[in-house]
Amino acid sequence: MTSLSTPHHDPVTAKPRATMRHVAALAGVGVKTVSRVVNGEPNVSAATIAKVRDAARQLNFEPDIHAGNLRRADRRSQTLGLLVGSVANPFSGAIHRAVEDAAAEKGIAVFASSLDDDPTRERGIVSTFLRRRVDGLILTTASKSQGYLLPELEHGTPIVFVDREPVGVEADAVVSDNANGAAVATRHLIEHGHTRIAFLGDREDIWTMRERRRGYRDELGRAGISSNDAQVIGGIVDEQAARQAVDDLLASGNPPTAIFSSQNLITTGAIRSLRDNDAGHRIALVGFDDIALADLLDPAITVVAQNPQRIGALAAERVLAKLDGDTTADQTYVVPTTLIVRGSGEIRPNE
Amino acid sequence: MTSLSTPHHDPVTAKPRATMRHVAALAGVGVKTVSRVVNGEPNVSAATIAKVRDAARQLNFEPDIHAGNLRRADRRSQTLGLLVGSVANPFSGAIHRAVEDAAAEKGIAVFASSLDDDPTRERGIVSTFLRRRVDGLILTTASKSQGYLLPELEHGTPIVFVDREPVGVEADAVVSDNANGAAVATRHLIEHGHTRIAFLGDREDIWTMRERRRGYRDELGRAGISSNDAQVIGGIVDEQAARQAVDDLLASGNPPTAIFSSQNLITTGAIRSLRDNDAGHRIALVGFDDIALADLLDPAITVVAQNPQRIGALAAERVLAKLDGDTTADQTYVVPTTLIVRGSGEIRPNE
DNA sequence: TGAGGCGTTGATAACGATGTCACGGATTGT
DNA sequence: ACAATCCGTGACATCGTTATCAACGCCTCA
């Protein structure tokens, strides 16, 4: 056996990539001049620019942005790290898209990763971003504290939290009007005559879940509804669990007349259960976060809609502003939610 | 006025980032030894490893992956570029998620961008990826030819196309069973007694649209249905346009008894129009690509479902395999579609 | 006409990491 | 006991780019 080996892509056919040196040689100029042309720096003669452009085109030259970044004064990688719930989730997708649009305008590329509400993933992904020297971070978090980001903040990396407020660090955050939105939803149900309103919640350790539950409870309190009537069910991790939870509620001795489901997947699970149990027109439902085609269901689903586009756009705006030297004090930006009345939330008890 | 300036993040508070030299100095070893520890290379004493780890932790050291990449033999940036229709679109999101999962396993980060069916964007985004020296590319395309990628392919960069086949280059592609899926949908409608089946299509220059239309036409031909009965409407760019198109169809002198909508947003637009015109239970509808909650609508929507998870997973698998030296010949992988019968596709004419 | 300035250009060091290689000390084999 | 080997380690060159600075030629103005 010889020592011949093909460790990776076939080295026989692999053509080397053109560097500035190659371009410089072909154009008959120095590398620094190529650099000047590529970066649009002034004081290069038109003739030289043409020669260099030609050579670069011939060789399919693409500058190595990271090699440049190594020496460049501003050390910008033109890259952002984005961590969202899951890139497969429409809410996250809308945030991602808004961030991409803002970043693309400035030639900035975006790393996007999924958190899955897993603290370990959070740390790993952030580390992955940091090792790639992203210029800024937009993060949804799951860990108990984001104190580990302090050194990065001190270094000057702009960090903006989205969807959930951070713990253990001061930084910008962009979140939905969670407690108020939940209160509005709850009040809406109360105004339609309900007192037995169940709350279907996510995992206890998720900040948005606690905020929404707080809004729900506060509103019940304001209406003078006994907390005995509040059926708070937490720890619902997916659509199937939500379905089961509602099945159980309906089978219980004292079912609620209305349901407030505090999240996307939980809402669809609830819809399925209500449908299965033929209770869709009997039990009111208001969901937190809009769902696709909710207006075409029967009944159409009343929701408190979030504004993920706005959340993403605002987060990107803040990060980019900080990169441009903006020193506005860190704060939490609250993006309003909107009650969208469609039918399911206007069902009255005992109908 | 002094020459003091604050070009970017406040240089007064900006702490420098720790490099291997700093870690080496603190640990009292050479930089190469730090490199060995960080990369888990063998032949370092346990005591030295401990010293280095300690120092690295104290300084919050994160290695600069791109600086290393510059000198490293394999030149891997541990990064993939992914270009999809739009990161806000559930189909794209599912692909993205599958790619992310496969990549994350190997510590690879993913750049994700949206194409918006814009050839100019395609070129710009690919260039953006290339300048960042991604290890591989997974691309949805909009331009007439991908010939511009030839130099990159020759260089050995693995490229896999998703959703649409490339033109002008030979490369792996992972696509849905478009023509066949469309034929299955069409046959399904024919089997339920329809002959006047309208086709609602996307922009003409989109490969998937042409494939699906081909499947539709072929199937009509096989059934001996006159092409006069085929009402092909193309150039539908969004949901609103689809709605309008169906409104027009219904108002025409000779409306179809069934509709095959060849895409996601077009399907929802069609549903809305049918609903508005009170025709949902009279005119059959089969959509290409599944939509959320389709099973809860009235009627529930029959669709030919794609499998974006599978498409993404397969594309990622191919790219990663090529990175590992796999030299299987380039080919197009066809991911099967599935007819999901729910109700709207089983409505008979004249009901 | 000669000093000074400006526009254009390239040689060289440096960025933060890894590949190479050489060195010293410990271990092994005979 | 001595050579051969192996292990642990660090000095140095290097990857592709940009910052610095010096040099050159040409123009301007006194």
Side-chain angles (χ1 to χ4, degrees):
Chain A
M1 201 205 229
T2 73
S3 68
L4 276 178
S5 71
T6 304
H8 300 300
H9 55 70
D10 195 346
V12 177
T13 53
K15 274 191 346 191
R17 211 187 279 274
T19 71
M20 279 197 179
R21 252 211 289 290
H22 300 130
V23 177
L26 180 58
V29 301
V31 283
K32 179 69 231 213
T33 297
V34 176
S35 170
R36 274 188 271 255
V37 173
V38 167
N39 294 291
E41 288 174 34
N43 298 333
V44 184
S45 75
T48 306
I49 292 181
K51 276 192 300 183
V52 171
R53 288 255 164 81
D54 260 26
R57 204 175 354 259
Q58 273 184 55
L59 298 175
N60 282 102
F61 173 70
E62 291 278 5
D64 183 324
I65 191 176
H66 289 114
N69 190 28
L70 203 52
R71 191 61 171 74
R72 202 183 344 265
D74 61 11
R75 317 285 333 266
R76 292 291 173 76
S77 61
Q78 303 278 91
T79 296
L80 246 42
L82 170 67
L83 180 51
V84 292
S86 167
V87 296
N89 172 322
F91 179 77
S92 299
I95 292 177
H96 183 182
R97 183 61 208 247
V99 170
E100 183 196 353
D101 287 346
E105 237 173 63
K106 307 199 153 196
I108 294 176
V110 178
F111 282 118
S113 294
S114 304
L115 176 63
D116 283 350
D117 287 322
D118 177 346
T120 309
R121 269 181 85 113
E122 177 189 330
R123 295 291 293 257
I125 290 168
V126 167
S127 169
T128 265
F129 289 160
L130 261 20
R131 281 198 291 267
R132 285 170 178 79
R133 297 295 186 263
V134 297
D135 296 333
L137 251 15
I138 298 179
L139 303 176
T140 306
T141 55
S143 64
K144 288 249 189 305
S145 160
Q146 282 67 52
Y148 67 96
L149 287 168
L150 261 164
E152 207 46 38
L153 243 9
E154 281 169 15
H155 172 263
T157 306
I159 304 183
V160 174
F161 293 88
V162 283
D163 191 45
R164 304 172 191 173
E165 285 187 342
V167 175
V169 294
E170 278 200 32
D172 275 340
V174 181
V175 302
S176 278
D177 186 11
N178 288 295
N180 185 252
V184 166
T186 308
R187 179 157 60 248
H188 186 74
L189 289 168
I190 293 170
E191 284 170 358
H192 283 81
H194 297 276
T195 54
R196 292 197 52 75
I197 304 169
F199 175 95
L200 302 187
D202 220 326
R203 275 168 36 191
E204 181 71 32
D205 56 350
I206 296 175
W207 182 78
T208 49
M209 139 68 162
R210 296 195 303 273
E211 286 292 295
R212 292 169 195 174
R213 189 183 53 194
R214 181 164 67 80
Y216 157 84
R217 282 189 170 141
D218 287 356
E219 192 60 32
L220 288 188
R222 271 191 288 277
I225 294 176
S226 154
S227 58
N228 290 338
D229 280 342
Q231 288 175 275
V232 174
I233 300 176
I236 300 175
V237 296
D238 59 19
E239 187 174 324
Q240 187 46 46
R243 199 169 180 168
Q244 187 61 53
V246 175
D247 282 350
D248 292 349
L249 272 178
L250 297 180
S252 74
N254 195 9
T257 62
I259 294 173
F260 171 48
S261 73
S262 74
Q263 191 243 66
N264 232 330
L265 295 176
I266 298 178
T267 304
T268 63
I271 295 170
R272 289 214 148 78
S273 171
L274 291 175
R275 175 77 57 112
D276 290 349
N277 291 284
D278 218 8
H281 285 278
R282 186 163 44 83
I283 295 186
L285 173 67
V286 176
F288 200 105
D289 201 8
D290 202 2
I291 55 183
L293 302 187
D295 57 323
L296 295 181
L297 296 178
D298 181 37
I301 308 298
T302 293
V303 300
V304 173
Q306 299 188 77
N307 194 341
Q309 293 84 358
R310 182 87 196 100
I311 292 175
L314 193 47
E317 183 192 315
R318 290 307 308 144
V319 165
L320 296 176
K322 279 170 184 252
L323 277 172
D324 283 348
D326 179 304
T327 56
T328 306
D330 289 328
Q331 58 189 288
T332 293
Y333 297 84
V334 177
V335 174
T337 52
T338 318
L339 178 73
I340 303 181
V341 172
R342 294 196 177 113
S344 72
E346 294 71 49
I347 297 171
R348 296 192 161 266
N350 307 317
E351 265 186 14
Chain B
M1 202 208 229
T2 72
S3 67
L4 276 177
S5 71
T6 305
H8 299 302
H9 54 71
D10 196 346
V12 177
T13 54
K15 273 192 346 190
R17 212 186 279 274
T19 72
M20 276 196 180
R21 250 210 291 290
H22 300 130
V23 177
L26 181 57
V29 301
V31 282
K32 179 70 230 216
T33 296
V34 176
S35 169
R36 275 188 270 255
V37 173
V38 168
N39 295 291
E41 288 174 36
N43 298 334
V44 185
S45 75
T48 307
I49 293 181
K51 275 192 300 183
V52 171
R53 288 254 163 82
D54 258 26
R57 203 175 355 258
Q58 272 183 57
L59 299 175
N60 282 102
F61 173 70
E62 291 278 4
D64 183 325
I65 191 175
H66 290 113
N69 189 30
L70 204 51
R71 190 61 169 78
R72 204 190 331 273
D74 61 10
R75 317 278 342 257
R76 293 292 173 75
S77 61
Q78 303 279 91
T79 295
L80 246 42
L82 170 68
L83 181 51
V84 292
S86 167
V87 297
N89 174 322
F91 178 77
S92 299
I95 291 177
H96 183 181
R97 183 60 209 245
V99 170
E100 184 196 350
D101 288 345
E105 237 172 64
K106 306 198 154 197
I108 294 175
V110 178
F111 281 118
S113 293
S114 304
L115 177 63
D116 281 350
D117 287 323
D118 177 347
T120 309
R121 270 183 83 114
E122 176 189 330
R123 296 290 292 256
I125 290 168
V126 167
S127 169
T128 264
F129 288 160
L130 259 21
R131 281 199 292 268
R132 286 170 177 77
R133 298 293 188 265
V134 297
D135 296 332
L137 250 17
I138 298 179
L139 304 176
T140 306
T141 56
S143 64
K144 289 248 188 304
S145 160
Q146 282 66 52
Y148 68 95
L149 286 168
L150 261 164
E152 207 46 38
L153 243 8
E154 282 169 15
H155 173 263
T157 306
I159 304 184
V160 174
F161 293 88
V162 283
D163 191 43
R164 305 171 191 174
E165 285 187 341
V167 175
V169 294
E170 279 199 31
D172 276 339
V174 182
V175 302
S176 277
D177 186 11
N178 287 295
N180 186 253
V184 166
T186 308
R187 178 157 60 248
H188 186 73
L189 290 167
I190 292 169
E191 284 170 359
H192 284 80
H194 298 276
T195 53
R196 292 195 53 75
I197 303 170
F199 175 94
L200 302 187
D202 221 324
R203 276 170 35 192
E204 181 71 31
D205 57 348
I206 295 175
W207 181 79
T208 48
M209 139 71 161
R210 297 195 302 274
E211 285 292 296
R212 292 168 197 175
R213 189 183 53 194
R214 182 166 67 79
Y216 157 84
R217 282 189 170 140
D218 287 357
E219 191 61 31
L220 288 188
R222 271 190 288 276
I225 294 175
S226 155
S227 59
N228 290 337
D229 280 342
Q231 288 175 276
V232 174
I233 301 176
I236 301 175
V237 295
D238 59 19
E239 187 175 323
Q240 187 47 45
R243 198 169 180 169
Q244 186 63 53
V246 176
D247 282 349
D248 293 349
L249 272 178
L250 296 182
S252 75
N254 194 10
T257 61
I259 293 173
F260 172 48
S261 74
S262 74
Q263 189 243 65
N264 230 330
L265 294 177
I266 298 179
T267 303
T268 61
I271 295 170
R272 288 213 148 78
S273 172
L274 292 175
R275 173 79 56 114
D276 290 348
N277 292 284
D278 219 9
H281 285 278
R282 186 164 43 83
I283 295 186
L285 173 67
V286 176
F288 200 105
D289 200 8
D290 202 3
I291 54 183
L293 301 188
D295 57 323
L296 294 183
L297 296 177
D298 180 37
I301 308 300
T302 293
V303 299
V304 174
Q306 299 188 77
N307 193 341
Q309 295 82 356
R310 180 88 196 100
I311 292 175
L314 192 47
E317 182 192 315
R318 289 308 306 145
V319 166
L320 297 177
K322 279 172 185 249
L323 276 172
D324 284 347
D326 179 305
T327 57
T328 306
D330 289 327
Q331 59 189 288
T332 293
Y333 296 84
V334 177
V335 174
T337 53
T338 317
L339 178 72
I340 303 181
V341 172
R342 294 196 178 111
S344 72
E346 295 70 51
I347 296 170
R348 297 192 159 265
N350 306 317
E351 266 186 15

